Amino acid sequence: DETTQNFIGHAMALQTDDSYLDKPAEPTVIACQLYGRSMGRYGQDSPYLYPNYGLSNLPEGFSRLSAIYGGAVMLRTNVDEIIMDPATGKAVGVRAGDQAACAKVIIGDSSYFPPQMSTKIGKVVRSVCILRKPLKNTQGESAQVILPAKHLVNKKHDVYISELGPTLHVVPKGLYLAIASTTVESNDPVAELRQAFDLMGDIVERFDSVSDQYGPTDDGTKTGCYVVKSLDATSHFESAAVDIMRIYRAINNKELNLDEKLVEDVE
């Protein structure tokens, strides 16, 4: 039936709209297989993983690994200029204050690059909510909830809810954190999350924001500047992973293979 179809397509295959219904079935089947293989892979009763102490642990881990292989990380540093070679039109480095670093490849958010290198592609509304109880009709302290657009009122895009409990060390005991998000479709973005708020019940405090989304105007190969797409409304980061593979393919002219060893292990 339609409900089962929506669950498989949106909650398991992580399709963001219903356009997959008019396409070959193989990509959706493969996505469902990935969902199934991910269940309990690391002992969890979910296909998802989330780092303790929040997502800030991811860039921290990257910084440590980068340092092991000779990389340098500069925190709280503004990029004042992308240095371009006028003869070739390619980037040759970046300037931060009176310091400069040479680089043939520059990867970054659109805010680091000149405006003409990116274009606005939409808006996302997010609400970070503090709760005293878990989401209605869920088990455990943490959950990933996807509300398909077909089950929502006046929505063309899904609504996503990510619930985090105290065992993940992002809130004190007795509290829960829920983040609701969706693609903006109206002049009242926060109202588009009302069905997510209904699942949360009594909200202690809520923080709403609306962010513009940007994407690159080209693949970056002509300039050596590779603009990362802004995070969309999805809370499972699959679109971010796809964007990383896009940039890797553009830089290296081949697909990303995580089984391939690019550098020797450092002892």
Side-chain angles (χ1 to χ4, degrees):
D1 61 7
E2 187 176 65
T3 299
T4 303
Q5 185 183 67
N6 282 333
F7 175 80
I8 293 174
H10 291 257
M12 294 181 64
L14 304 182
Q15 302 287 356
T16 56
D17 55 38
D18 285 335
S19 62
Y20 74 97
L21 296 173
D22 300 317
K23 299 176 181 177
E26 185 179 16
T28 298
V29 172
I30 293 173
C32 289
Q33 290 174 337
L34 176 61
Y35 184 97
R37 289 197 301 268
S38 300
M39 286 291 295
R41 183 165 185 174
Y42 297 98
Q44 82 283 15
D45 56 355
S46 164
Y48 300 105
L49 292 175
Y50 194 87
N52 284 333
Y53 305 102
L55 292 176
S56 61
N57 263 14
L58 295 181
E60 180 182 346
F62 171 83
S63 300
R64 293 177 184 274
L65 191 61
S66 173
I68 290 175
Y69 288 100
V73 177
M74 299 173 65
L75 301 177
R76 298 181 181 179
T77 301
N78 293 323
V79 174
D80 297 310
E81 181 187 4
I82 303 293
I83 304 172
M84 309 293 291
D85 183 346
T88 63
K90 284 185 171 290
V92 293
V94 296
R95 180 179 64 82
D98 58 356
Q99 301 181 81
C102 297
K104 295 180 179 179
V105 173
I106 301 175
I107 307 170
D109 177 82
S110 61
S111 61
Y112 290 101
F113 297 97
Q116 64 270 21
M117 289 188 177
S118 61
T119 183
K120 186 177 176 180
I121 56 177
K123 288 187 176 184
V124 173
V125 57
R126 289 185 179 85
S127 288
V128 179
C129 306
I130 299 175
L131 315 176
R132 296 198 186 278
K133 294 181 180 180
L135 297 176
K136 297 176 183 177
N137 304 319
T138 61
Q139 298 178 351
E141 290 188 350
S142 301
Q144 178 77 234
V145 179
I146 299 175
L147 304 177
K150 279 189 176 180
H151 294 182
L152 304 174
V153 178
N154 297 324
K155 281 291 293 176
K156 296 179 181 178
H157 295 84
D158 296 353
V159 171
Y160 300 86
I161 309 173
S162 183
E163 179 194 37
L164 309 173
T167 55
L168 291 172
H169 308 291
V170 295
V171 286
K173 288 183 178 181
L175 294 177
Y176 299 83
L177 190 69
I179 305 170
S181 56
T182 190
T183 300
V184 173
E185 301 174 17
S186 71
N187 293 326
D188 191 0
V190 176
E192 298 182 40
L193 298 173
R194 59 185 177 276
Q195 284 156 293
F197 299 148
D198 291 342
L199 282 177
M200 297 180 193
D202 184 26
I203 300 175
V204 178
E205 195 157 359
R206 198 179 84 199
F207 305 90
D208 303 324
S209 65
V210 177
S211 305
D212 291 329
Q213 286 179 275
Y214 291 91
T217 54
D218 56 45
D219 64 3
T221 53
K222 291 183 179 180
T223 60
C225 296
Y226 298 88
V227 179
V228 178
K229 290 182 180 178
S230 304
L231 289 177
D232 61 16
T234 60
S235 54
H236 45 65
F237 299 107
E238 185 185 41
S239 56
V242 170
D243 199 39
I244 291 170
M245 291 187 285
R246 171 189 67 82
I247 292 174
Y248 182 92
R249 184 169 55 249
I251 295 173
N252 297 285
N253 199 29
K254 65 178 182 178
E255 298 293 336
L256 175 62
N257 180 4
L258 294 177
D259 294 324
E260 179 184 359
K261 182 176 288 189
L262 300 178
V263 292
E264 294 299 322
D265 292 333
V266 176
E267 298 182 357

